[in-house]
mmCIF file of all heavy atoms in Angstrom:
data_model
loop_
_atom_site.group_PDB
_atom_site.id
_atom_site.type_symbol
_atom_site.label_atom_id
_atom_site.label_comp_id
_atom_site.label_asym_id
_atom_site.label_seq_id
_atom_site.Cartn_x
_atom_site.Cartn_y
_atom_site.Cartn_z
ATOM 1 N N MET A 1 -3.203 8.242 -3.847
ATOM 2 C CA MET A 1 -2.468 8.394 -5.130
ATOM 3 C C MET A 1 -3.130 7.589 -6.295
ATOM 4 O O MET A 1 -3.903 6.624 -6.036
ATOM 5 C CB MET A 1 -1.019 7.803 -4.981
ATOM 6 C CG MET A 1 -0.240 8.321 -3.763
ATOM 7 S SD MET A 1 1.459 7.823 -3.827
ATOM 8 C CE MET A 1 1.320 6.007 -3.736
ATOM 9 N N ARG A 2 -2.809 7.993 -7.475
ATOM 10 C CA ARG A 2 -3.257 7.209 -8.666
ATOM 11 C C ARG A 2 -2.186 7.295 -9.764
ATOM 12 O O ARG A 2 -1.345 8.176 -9.761
ATOM 13 C CB ARG A 2 -4.572 7.845 -9.181
ATOM 14 C CG ARG A 2 -4.396 9.192 -9.848
ATOM 15 C CD ARG A 2 -5.660 9.570 -10.687
ATOM 16 N NE ARG A 2 -5.395 10.880 -11.256
ATOM 17 C CZ ARG A 2 -6.272 11.577 -11.917
ATOM 18 N NH1 ARG A 2 -7.518 11.115 -12.056
ATOM 19 N NH2 ARG A 2 -5.999 12.791 -12.407
ATOM 20 N N GLY A 3 -2.297 6.381 -10.744
ATOM 21 C CA GLY A 3 -1.463 6.443 -11.931
ATOM 22 C C GLY A 3 -0.296 5.472 -11.863
ATOM 23 O O GLY A 3 -0.015 4.818 -10.828
ATOM 24 N N ARG A 4 0.382 5.272 -13.003
ATOM 25 C CA ARG A 4 1.523 4.338 -13.132
ATOM 26 C C ARG A 4 2.653 4.614 -12.264
ATOM 27 O O ARG A 4 3.166 3.757 -11.535
ATOM 28 C CB ARG A 4 1.955 4.241 -14.574
ATOM 29 C CG ARG A 4 3.111 3.289 -14.819
ATOM 30 C CD ARG A 4 3.759 3.492 -16.111
ATOM 31 N NE ARG A 4 3.023 2.921 -17.168
ATOM 32 C CZ ARG A 4 2.849 3.457 -18.402
ATOM 33 N NH1 ARG A 4 3.348 4.655 -18.659
ATOM 34 N NH2 ARG A 4 2.218 2.798 -19.349
ATOM 35 N N GLU A 5 3.028 5.864 -12.217
ATOM 36 C CA GLU A 5 4.142 6.283 -11.395
ATOM 37 C C GLU A 5 3.824 6.025 -9.869
ATOM 38 O O GLU A 5 4.696 5.560 -9.133
ATOM 39 C CB GLU A 5 4.566 7.729 -11.579
ATOM 40 C CG GLU A 5 5.306 7.987 -12.886
ATOM 41 C CD GLU A 5 5.877 9.431 -12.923
ATOM 42 O OE1 GLU A 5 6.853 9.684 -12.131
ATOM 43 O OE2 GLU A 5 5.323 10.274 -13.645
ATOM 44 N N ALA A 6 2.635 6.392 -9.502
ATOM 45 C CA ALA A 6 2.274 6.220 -8.182
ATOM 46 C C ALA A 6 2.185 4.699 -7.794
ATOM 47 O O ALA A 6 2.607 4.282 -6.669
ATOM 48 C CB ALA A 6 0.863 6.813 -7.884
ATOM 49 N N ALA A 7 1.758 3.842 -8.711
ATOM 50 C CA ALA A 7 1.733 2.422 -8.488
ATOM 51 C C ALA A 7 3.138 1.876 -8.327
ATOM 52 O O ALA A 7 3.353 1.026 -7.437
ATOM 53 C CB ALA A 7 0.975 1.697 -9.649
ATOM 54 N N ARG A 8 4.019 2.326 -9.152
ATOM 55 C CA ARG A 8 5.436 1.898 -9.101
ATOM 56 C C ARG A 8 5.997 2.255 -7.733
ATOM 57 O O ARG A 8 6.702 1.492 -7.044
ATOM 58 C CB ARG A 8 6.250 2.421 -10.183
ATOM 59 C CG ARG A 8 7.616 1.799 -10.351
ATOM 60 C CD ARG A 8 8.301 2.408 -11.574
ATOM 61 N NE ARG A 8 7.669 2.103 -12.793
ATOM 62 C CZ ARG A 8 7.800 0.950 -13.478
ATOM 63 N NH1 ARG A 8 8.610 -0.030 -12.950
ATOM 64 N NH2 ARG A 8 7.163 0.726 -14.599
ATOM 65 N N LEU A 9 5.726 3.431 -7.227
ATOM 66 C CA LEU A 9 6.132 3.837 -5.890
ATOM 67 C C LEU A 9 5.470 3.017 -4.787
ATOM 68 O O LEU A 9 6.191 2.572 -3.852
ATOM 69 C CB LEU A 9 5.828 5.350 -5.715
ATOM 70 C CG LEU A 9 6.089 5.906 -4.316
ATOM 71 C CD1 LEU A 9 7.554 6.029 -4.050
ATOM 72 C CD2 LEU A 9 5.379 7.253 -4.174
ATOM 73 N N PHE A 10 4.162 2.830 -4.939
ATOM 74 C CA PHE A 10 3.415 2.109 -3.886
ATOM 75 C C PHE A 10 3.948 0.741 -3.650
ATOM 76 O O PHE A 10 3.891 0.228 -2.501
ATOM 77 C CB PHE A 10 1.965 2.132 -4.277
ATOM 78 C CG PHE A 10 0.997 1.607 -3.325
ATOM 79 C CD1 PHE A 10 0.440 2.283 -2.321
ATOM 80 C CD2 PHE A 10 0.636 0.149 -3.463
ATOM 81 C CE1 PHE A 10 -0.393 1.784 -1.410
ATOM 82 C CE2 PHE A 10 -0.274 -0.342 -2.571
ATOM 83 C CZ PHE A 10 -0.791 0.417 -1.527
ATOM 84 N N TYR A 11 4.418 0.063 -4.707
ATOM 85 C CA TYR A 11 4.879 -1.267 -4.532
ATOM 86 C C TYR A 11 6.361 -1.415 -4.358
ATOM 87 O O TYR A 11 6.937 -2.494 -4.428
ATOM 88 C CB TYR A 11 4.455 -2.110 -5.802
ATOM 89 C CG TYR A 11 2.918 -2.368 -5.699
ATOM 90 C CD1 TYR A 11 2.065 -1.647 -6.520
ATOM 91 C CD2 TYR A 11 2.381 -3.308 -4.843
ATOM 92 C CE1 TYR A 11 0.716 -1.822 -6.497
ATOM 93 C CE2 TYR A 11 1.045 -3.489 -4.761
ATOM 94 C CZ TYR A 11 0.214 -2.773 -5.588
ATOM 95 O OH TYR A 11 -1.162 -2.941 -5.526
ATOM 96 N N ASP A 12 7.002 -0.307 -3.996
ATOM 97 C CA ASP A 12 8.403 -0.319 -3.543
ATOM 98 C C ASP A 12 8.459 -0.719 -2.112
ATOM 99 O O ASP A 12 8.073 0.029 -1.167
ATOM 100 C CB ASP A 12 8.962 1.087 -3.738
ATOM 101 C CG ASP A 12 10.510 1.194 -3.396
ATOM 102 O OD1 ASP A 12 10.998 0.282 -2.660
ATOM 103 O OD2 ASP A 12 11.094 2.214 -3.731
ATOM 104 N N GLN A 13 8.965 -1.950 -1.838
ATOM 105 C CA GLN A 13 8.884 -2.554 -0.487
ATOM 106 C C GLN A 13 9.843 -1.849 0.457
ATOM 107 O O GLN A 13 9.761 -2.047 1.671
ATOM 108 C CB GLN A 13 9.138 -4.011 -0.546
ATOM 109 C CG GLN A 13 8.041 -4.795 -1.316
ATOM 110 C CD GLN A 13 8.272 -6.202 -1.255
ATOM 111 O OE1 GLN A 13 8.106 -6.881 -0.220
ATOM 112 N NE2 GLN A 13 8.604 -6.840 -2.432
ATOM 113 N N ASP A 14 10.810 -1.092 -0.079
ATOM 114 C CA ASP A 14 11.682 -0.322 0.827
ATOM 115 C C ASP A 14 11.053 0.947 1.366
ATOM 116 O O ASP A 14 11.416 1.461 2.421
ATOM 117 C CB ASP A 14 12.944 0.118 0.077
ATOM 118 C CG ASP A 14 13.882 -1.029 -0.268
ATOM 119 O OD1 ASP A 14 13.827 -2.055 0.482
ATOM 120 O OD2 ASP A 14 14.626 -0.985 -1.282
ATOM 121 N N ARG A 15 9.965 1.372 0.733
ATOM 122 C CA ARG A 15 9.284 2.597 1.124
ATOM 123 C C ARG A 15 7.919 2.335 1.796
ATOM 124 O O ARG A 15 7.414 3.221 2.558
ATOM 125 C CB ARG A 15 9.111 3.554 -0.104
ATOM 126 C CG ARG A 15 10.466 4.019 -0.589
ATOM 127 C CD ARG A 15 10.264 4.981 -1.736
ATOM 128 N NE ARG A 15 11.520 5.685 -2.109
ATOM 129 C CZ ARG A 15 11.613 6.515 -3.108
ATOM 130 N NH1 ARG A 15 10.537 6.907 -3.790
ATOM 131 N NH2 ARG A 15 12.787 7.114 -3.374
ATOM 132 N N PHE A 16 7.261 1.199 1.434
ATOM 133 C CA PHE A 16 5.958 0.963 1.952
ATOM 134 C C PHE A 16 5.887 -0.416 2.590
ATOM 135 O O PHE A 16 6.527 -1.380 2.121
ATOM 136 C CB PHE A 16 4.864 1.105 0.905
ATOM 137 C CG PHE A 16 4.574 2.476 0.497
ATOM 138 C CD1 PHE A 16 5.238 3.054 -0.599
ATOM 139 C CD2 PHE A 16 3.649 3.241 1.153
ATOM 140 C CE1 PHE A 16 4.973 4.321 -1.012
ATOM 141 C CE2 PHE A 16 3.380 4.555 0.813
ATOM 142 C CZ PHE A 16 4.031 5.116 -0.318
ATOM 143 N N GLN A 17 5.033 -0.569 3.610
ATOM 144 C CA GLN A 17 4.817 -1.883 4.194
ATOM 145 C C GLN A 17 3.340 -2.120 4.314
ATOM 146 O O GLN A 17 2.524 -1.161 4.322
ATOM 147 C CB GLN A 17 5.471 -1.953 5.545
ATOM 148 C CG GLN A 17 4.893 -1.025 6.626
ATOM 149 C CD GLN A 17 5.658 -1.081 7.946
ATOM 150 O OE1 GLN A 17 6.915 -1.036 7.939
ATOM 151 N NE2 GLN A 17 4.896 -1.234 8.998
ATOM 152 N N ARG A 18 2.910 -3.384 4.458
ATOM 153 C CA ARG A 18 1.553 -3.696 4.572
ATOM 154 C C ARG A 18 1.078 -3.920 6.045
ATOM 155 O O ARG A 18 -0.089 -3.774 6.333
ATOM 156 C CB ARG A 18 1.241 -5.020 3.782
ATOM 157 C CG ARG A 18 0.798 -4.723 2.312
ATOM 158 C CD ARG A 18 1.875 -4.002 1.618
ATOM 159 N NE ARG A 18 1.443 -3.525 0.258
ATOM 160 C CZ ARG A 18 2.133 -2.707 -0.490
ATOM 161 N NH1 ARG A 18 3.303 -2.251 -0.018
ATOM 162 N NH2 ARG A 18 1.731 -2.307 -1.694
ATOM 163 N N HIS A 19 2.014 -4.327 6.821
ATOM 164 C CA HIS A 19 1.672 -4.600 8.207
ATOM 165 C C HIS A 19 1.118 -3.325 8.941
ATOM 166 O O HIS A 19 1.723 -2.284 8.882
ATOM 167 C CB HIS A 19 2.865 -5.106 9.009
ATOM 168 C CG HIS A 19 2.654 -5.419 10.458
ATOM 169 N ND1 HIS A 19 1.879 -6.495 10.786
ATOM 170 C CD2 HIS A 19 2.999 -4.765 11.610
ATOM 171 C CE1 HIS A 19 1.755 -6.525 12.131
ATOM 172 N NE2 HIS A 19 2.432 -5.480 12.590
ATOM 173 N N GLY A 20 -0.042 -3.485 9.550
ATOM 174 C CA GLY A 20 -0.669 -2.396 10.180
ATOM 175 C C GLY A 20 -1.315 -1.360 9.338
ATOM 176 O O GLY A 20 -1.821 -0.344 9.858
ATOM 177 N N ALA A 21 -1.455 -1.681 8.021
ATOM 178 C CA ALA A 21 -2.043 -0.673 7.089
ATOM 179 C C ALA A 21 -3.560 -0.804 6.973
ATOM 180 O O ALA A 21 -4.277 0.213 7.009
ATOM 181 C CB ALA A 21 -1.398 -0.774 5.706
ATOM 182 N N ALA A 22 -4.032 -2.059 6.776
ATOM 183 C CA ALA A 22 -5.441 -2.216 6.527
ATOM 184 C C ALA A 22 -6.254 -1.920 7.813
ATOM 185 O O ALA A 22 -5.877 -2.374 8.937
ATOM 186 C CB ALA A 22 -5.721 -3.671 6.104
ATOM 187 N N PRO A 23 -7.356 -1.176 7.701
ATOM 188 C CA PRO A 23 -8.190 -0.956 8.879
ATOM 189 C C PRO A 23 -8.675 -2.237 9.551
ATOM 190 O O PRO A 23 -8.861 -3.237 8.792
ATOM 191 C CB PRO A 23 -9.390 -0.164 8.282
ATOM 192 C CG PRO A 23 -8.826 0.422 7.036
ATOM 193 C CD PRO A 23 -7.827 -0.550 6.500
ATOM 194 N N LEU A 24 -8.848 -2.211 10.814
ATOM 195 C CA LEU A 24 -9.212 -3.440 11.505
ATOM 196 C C LEU A 24 -10.509 -4.042 10.921
ATOM 197 O O LEU A 24 -10.686 -5.288 10.839
ATOM 198 C CB LEU A 24 -9.443 -3.132 13.003
ATOM 199 C CG LEU A 24 -9.728 -4.354 13.883
ATOM 200 C CD1 LEU A 24 -8.586 -5.358 13.857
ATOM 201 C CD2 LEU A 24 -9.979 -3.866 15.350
ATOM 202 N N ARG A 25 -11.464 -3.233 10.550
ATOM 203 C CA ARG A 25 -12.759 -3.663 10.037
ATOM 204 C C ARG A 25 -12.534 -4.540 8.748
ATOM 205 O O ARG A 25 -13.291 -5.411 8.499
ATOM 206 C CB ARG A 25 -13.771 -2.526 9.803
ATOM 207 C CG ARG A 25 -13.278 -1.509 8.760
ATOM 208 C CD ARG A 25 -14.166 -0.308 8.653
ATOM 209 N NE ARG A 25 -15.481 -0.638 8.208
ATOM 210 C CZ ARG A 25 -16.583 -0.593 9.017
ATOM 211 N NH1 ARG A 25 -16.468 -0.253 10.286
ATOM 212 N NH2 ARG A 25 -17.747 -0.912 8.501
ATOM 213 N N LEU A 26 -11.514 -4.183 7.873
ATOM 214 C CA LEU A 26 -11.267 -5.029 6.719
ATOM 215 C C LEU A 26 -10.589 -6.333 7.124
ATOM 216 O O LEU A 26 -10.859 -7.362 6.500
ATOM 217 C CB LEU A 26 -10.330 -4.246 5.791
ATOM 218 C CG LEU A 26 -11.000 -3.094 4.960
ATOM 219 C CD1 LEU A 26 -9.926 -2.524 4.015
ATOM 220 C CD2 LEU A 26 -12.147 -3.626 4.158
ATOM 221 N N GLN A 27 -9.740 -6.324 8.112
ATOM 222 C CA GLN A 27 -9.045 -7.522 8.584
ATOM 223 C C GLN A 27 -10.087 -8.491 9.194
ATOM 224 O O GLN A 27 -10.009 -9.658 9.010
ATOM 225 C CB GLN A 27 -7.997 -7.259 9.599
ATOM 226 C CG GLN A 27 -6.842 -6.396 9.059
ATOM 227 C CD GLN A 27 -5.825 -6.123 10.178
ATOM 228 O OE1 GLN A 27 -5.380 -7.043 10.849
ATOM 229 N NE2 GLN A 27 -5.434 -4.877 10.308
ATOM 230 N N GLN A 28 -11.124 -7.898 9.840
ATOM 231 C CA GLN A 28 -12.110 -8.756 10.483
ATOM 232 C C GLN A 28 -13.191 -9.282 9.522
ATOM 233 O O GLN A 28 -13.936 -10.137 9.922
ATOM 234 C CB GLN A 28 -12.818 -7.924 11.557
ATOM 235 C CG GLN A 28 -11.875 -7.526 12.771
ATOM 236 C CD GLN A 28 -12.493 -6.457 13.653
ATOM 237 O OE1 GLN A 28 -13.276 -5.660 13.186
ATOM 238 N NE2 GLN A 28 -12.126 -6.517 14.891
ATOM 239 N N THR A 29 -13.194 -8.813 8.344
ATOM 240 C CA THR A 29 -14.184 -9.272 7.379
ATOM 241 C C THR A 29 -13.601 -9.842 6.125
ATOM 242 O O THR A 29 -13.767 -10.957 5.764
ATOM 243 C CB THR A 29 -15.156 -8.064 7.043
ATOM 244 O OG1 THR A 29 -14.404 -6.986 6.559
ATOM 245 C CG2 THR A 29 -15.964 -7.690 8.268
#
């Protein structure tokens, strides 16, 4: 997604979570 509306949606904590989202290779580095 891109844009202001998408960003507002993306940071809605009722709809999105961070746990388990980042690929393991990013967590490891």
Side-chain angles (χ1 to χ4, degrees):
M1 307 190 298
R2 71 166 179 188
R4 177 194 282 141
E5 283 190 73
R8 192 176 295 278
L9 172 71
F10 184 85
Y11 288 102
D12 182 342
Q13 296 185 68
D14 290 333
R15 293 181 172 182
F16 286 94
Q17 66 184 47
R18 271 57 189 172
H19 181 70
L24 185 59
R25 61 187 296 110
L26 285 181
Q27 297 179 49
Q28 293 168 331
T29 55

